[in-house]
Amino acid sequence: MTSKEIKDLSQDQLKEQISQERERLLRLKFAHAISPIENPLRIRASRKEIARLLTELSAKSNQQ
């Protein structure tokens, strides 16, 4: 997701995206532990996406 798309999401949508991304990260970590995944940089990208979503969620909650 781009930063503009993230900024356009509501708080509920952000929470939903965060939970989906955390689930994806968990699955990637398990898959990588069993056998190395083809592109381990996806784990890093997933963590960064979660951080972006959490940052925007805290910014929105501080505004209200």
Side-chain angles (χ1 to χ4, degrees):
M1 295 183 91
T2 63
S3 62
K4 179 163 176 29
E5 291 172 339
I6 291 174
K7 288 183 188 300
D8 291 341
L9 295 175
S10 69
Q11 284 187 348
D12 292 333
Q13 290 171 326
L14 282 169
K15 289 176 184 175
E16 179 65 30
Q17 285 293 112
I18 290 168
S19 66
Q20 288 176 0
E21 199 63 36
R22 282 185 172 156
E23 189 175 321
R24 179 189 295 158
L25 177 62
L26 187 63
R27 278 190 261 116
L28 281 172
K29 283 184 178 180
F30 282 142
H32 188 64
I34 294 171
S35 66
I37 57 177
E38 187 174 310
N39 188 0
L41 294 179
R42 290 191 307 173
I43 295 172
R44 184 186 307 170
S46 185
R47 283 197 320 256
K48 287 185 176 187
E49 185 70 22
I50 292 169
R52 285 186 196 102
L53 291 167
L54 286 171
T55 301
E56 187 60 33
L57 181 62
S58 67
K60 285 186 186 252
S61 65
N62 287 341
Q63 281 181 343
Q64 294 176 353

